[in-house]
Amino acid sequence: MFNSRPFLFSVLVTSSLWLCVRDTCAQSYNAICTLANGDLLMVGHKNDVPLMSIYGAAWVDQPNPEQAPAKGEFRAVCTAGPGNLFLVVEDESDPKKPKIGLLLRENGLWSELPALPKGLNSVYDPVATGPGALWFRSWHTAERRTAMVHWNGTAYKELPRPDGTDEMHALLLDSDGTLIADGNMDGQAGAYRFVNGAWQPMGKAMKGLHVDRLVRLSDGTLVCSVARG
Amino acid sequence: MSPAVPALYRWDGTAWRPLEGAHVAAKQDIEDLCAGPDRRLYLLIEAGEEAGDPQRLACWKDDRLYWYKGTPETAIQKNHSGTVNLYRLACDYTGLLHARTYSSPLTFPWADFDRAMDGYPQQDASAAALWALFQRLESEYYTKTGSLVAAYRNYGMTTNEVNTKRLSKSSTALQAWVKAANDSLEGTAPKRMNRLADRFSQVLEL
């Protein structure tokens, strides 16, 4: 009777959690993602301690992985196949030098990814097809530009950016696993697919500053919102 | 009011096309969006013409926008106090819409949400009866589901005869309730079986 794998995942995760009395202390949520079983996972912090909660029939806080810092927060999250997760962690143990890192939950075990490439200290919009296939945006502070980064399971590699694009704002994995992102197109909002190591334009530019978000409707239709002047 | 210009586009395979019926005023920022069931798109919009103006929620469906009549602020103040800005919309697999304030997760009771939308086509008698039934069933659904999850948690921590029986009992009770609920829905409005019925049906698959 209880052979539904998604439900099992949900219940196994919630089996070790503790119910939290909410709203009695300082907490904030930074990001939300849909798990493979359809439940929602929200991440943030409570009293400066990283916090994640899962919504099945109610929001329930989860125990943190032992690799999570004692002080800090979870900044972002994405799934990496059923049961697997990437968590973006901000370690605020040294308030003068907060450090961004990544944790991976694979087959129920958490591990810490290597430090981000030099010059990068942020992770935005992580998307993944599996533990060895993660993409995210970062910002190169010294060079004032977006960095598009790929984690292949053993190392980070920075991808090129669409021609003329210094800042990128949106990422999405197509149903076939192809990376889709925004980029400058004739000075306006454009979108690109990353194919064979290069960005290929998707149609012509849209009026506006840039594509802000990419989402997929329930019937598979790709939709984007455009930031306007 | 500034003129409405496209802020949302759909990809048709070769080109980006403005999303039909989804125009919002040029100075209204779409702060967030998420996909919902039935090809819906939920939008969090800064509805005024100035930065910091109140936010509003809207739902794009069937090529038009339905505006949530209240502001997030009115919804939040039912159960929360303090901050009122919303961030990050998300739909769970049942179609329930969630967002977060700065400090709290917030769930929009979906039946209320749909009822509150301007112009949502649900004004006939069978629809009214259905919404009333849904509202009663929804709270029962959470109670029954919560019971099953609790039983499963105990079972996961200690697998013994007592917990196994409790789990089985909770499961049987939930499935029986789901079947009865579906019968009620069909009896009330057979042509209007929709998301809640889908949601109940998923429980049967456990």
Side-chain angles (χ1 to χ4, degrees):
Chain A
M1 184 187 310
F2 298 103
N3 59 356
S4 164
R5 186 168 293 180
F7 184 74
L8 263 180
F9 171 70
S10 166
V11 171
L12 288 173
V13 169
T14 54
S15 66
S16 56
L17 45 86
W18 48 283
L19 290 166
C20 171
V21 179
R22 290 184 181 284
D23 298 331
T24 56
C25 45
Q27 66 182 42
S28 173
Y29 290 99
N30 294 317
I32 193 166
C33 84
T34 305
L35 300 176
N37 68 347
D39 284 351
L40 297 177
L41 173 64
M42 195 139 61
V43 299
H45 75 90
K46 182 192 290 185
N47 287 340
D48 297 326
V49 176
L51 169 70
M52 53 180 167
S53 302
I54 287 181
Y55 186 91
W59 286 105
V60 182
D61 294 347
Q62 307 293 304
N64 282 343
E66 62 182 27
Q67 293 86 350
K71 187 176 182 183
E73 55 190 300
F74 296 132
R75 303 291 307 183
V77 62
C78 72
T79 59
N84 300 328
L85 286 174
F86 281 104
L87 260 181
V88 181
V89 181
E90 182 166 349
D91 185 345
E92 297 168 353
S93 304
D94 180 352
K96 292 180 181 175
K97 289 184 180 177
K99 193 176 76 174
I100 296 287
L102 280 155
L103 298 181
L104 167 65
R105 181 188 191 272
E106 182 178 11
N107 299 324
L109 297 176
W110 288 96
S111 60
E112 192 171 4
L113 268 60
L116 296 179
K118 192 176 179 183
L120 307 181
N121 194 25
S122 55
V123 175
Y124 303 113
D125 295 341
V127 292
T129 55
L134 168 74
W135 294 264
F136 59 87
R137 292 188 297 120
S138 187
W139 180 251
H140 200 295
T141 309
E143 298 176 9
R144 310 276 315 152
R145 61 170 176 82
T146 292
M148 188 69 73
V149 183
H150 174 51
W151 165 258
N152 65 9
T154 55
Y156 298 105
K157 180 187 177 187
E158 189 172 339
L159 306 182
R161 281 165 284 131
D163 287 345
T165 302
D166 286 330
E167 287 189 38
M168 300 173 80
H169 310 83
L171 273 183
L172 185 79
L173 283 176
D174 209 348
S175 51
D176 63 359
T178 306
L179 190 64
I180 299 175
D182 77 305
N184 186 296
M185 191 179 283
D186 302 325
Q188 301 217 60
Y192 294 81
R193 292 169 61 88
F194 194 68
V195 180
N196 297 327
W199 293 100
Q200 295 183 349
M202 295 177 69
K204 295 180 180 177
M206 293 160 272
K207 286 184 180 176
L209 298 176
H210 57 79
V211 171
D212 227 11
R213 292 284 307 278
L214 293 156
V215 298
R216 196 170 288 287
L217 300 182
S218 60
D219 68 351
T221 303
L222 180 64
V223 169
C224 72
S225 65
V226 173
R228 300 164 297 172
Chain B
M1 179 71 75
S2 51
V5 294
L8 292 159
Y9 291 82
R10 66 176 173 83
W11 176 247
D12 73 359
T14 57
W16 292 100
R17 310 283 185 198
L19 196 62
E20 295 83 354
H23 290 195
V24 296
K27 290 187 177 179
Q28 293 182 336
D29 285 335
I30 295 179
E31 296 189 337
D32 200 17
L33 64 165
C34 78
D38 311 327
R39 209 167 176 265
R40 290 166 186 236
L41 187 65
Y42 289 110
L43 304 166
L44 179 62
I45 298 173
E46 192 176 75
E49 304 237 339
E50 304 293 334
D53 279 343
Q55 296 169 307
R56 291 194 66 188
L57 284 165
C59 175
W60 176 85
K61 177 173 164 53
D62 300 333
D63 295 342
R64 63 159 290 188
L65 273 184
Y66 298 96
W67 291 86
Y68 187 66
K69 284 178 186 169
T71 63
E73 184 171 354
T74 60
I76 292 165
Q77 284 178 343
K78 288 179 182 175
N79 297 306
H80 300 256
S81 59
T83 56
V84 291
N85 265 338
L86 286 186
Y87 311 86
R88 287 294 181 192
L89 302 180
C91 252
D92 65 25
Y93 72 100
T94 69
L96 208 56
L97 180 66
H98 303 264
R100 70 171 181 85
T101 66
Y102 179 76
S103 59
S104 304
L106 178 69
T107 301
F108 288 89
W110 66 266
D112 283 350
F113 188 86
D114 278 1
R115 283 167 66 85
M117 283 200 204
D118 286 330
Y120 195 76
Q122 49 169 334
Q123 304 305 322
D124 59 54
S126 75
L130 192 62
W131 291 126
L133 179 62
F134 277 2
Q135 285 178 323
R136 177 173 66 78
L137 292 177
E138 189 167 27
S139 62
E140 291 180 10
Y141 168 81
Y142 287 130
T143 304
K144 303 275 183 189
T145 307
S147 170
L148 177 62
V149 169
Y152 221 128
R153 186 162 54 233
N154 291 336
Y155 175 81
M157 288 177 170
T158 310
T159 305
N160 57 28
E161 190 176 348
V162 173
N163 284 342
T164 303
K165 281 184 179 174
R166 282 180 182 159
L167 179 60
S168 176
K169 190 176 174 183
S170 293
S171 169
T172 304
L174 180 60
Q175 293 196 48
W177 178 83
V178 165
K179 285 175 182 167
N182 271 329
D183 289 346
S184 300
L185 292 173
E186 279 208 49
T188 303
K191 293 181 180 177
R192 286 178 176 272
M193 299 290 285
N194 64 6
R195 282 188 290 150
L196 191 60
D198 292 342
R199 171 202 260 171
F200 294 157
S201 298
Q202 289 194 32
V203 178
L204 284 175
E205 296 169 5
L206 296 180

